[in-house]
Amino acid sequence: MKHIFAYIDGLHLNISQKNRFFIIINCLVSGILGLLIWLLVGKYYFGGPLWLICFIGYPSLFVGVFGSLLHLSNHEFK
């Protein structure tokens, strides 16, 4: 999350655009990590599209959205 924050902080955008971009990128990265975990473990033990949605959705929501908002409340873009 620190690397994503540092990269976005270097872009030439205003603060509200940086905040939105950070939340979106963090959600996508969290969802992709959930997909990779499901591909490693889920195909054998948790088959079906419902488990795929759970493995992608919960990290995207909790780590992506809530984690980003918590990180943005403690750190500010320049």
Side-chain angles (χ1 to χ4, degrees), residues 27-55:
C27 286
L28 289 174
V29 169
S30 300
I32 290 170
L33 288 175
L35 173 68
L36 292 175
I37 291 171
W38 182 80
L39 287 174
L40 291 174
V41 177
K43 280 194 162 186
Y44 305 108
Y45 300 109
F46 304 109
L50 183 63
W51 282 103
L52 174 63
I53 293 169
C54 289
F55 271 77

Side-chain angles (χ1 to χ4, degrees), residues 4-12 18 76-78:
I4 297 170
F5 187 83
Y7 173 73
I8 293 174
D9 199 21
L11 297 176
H12 298 289
K18 287 181 181 181
E76 294 182 5
F77 285 114
K78 297 177 185 170

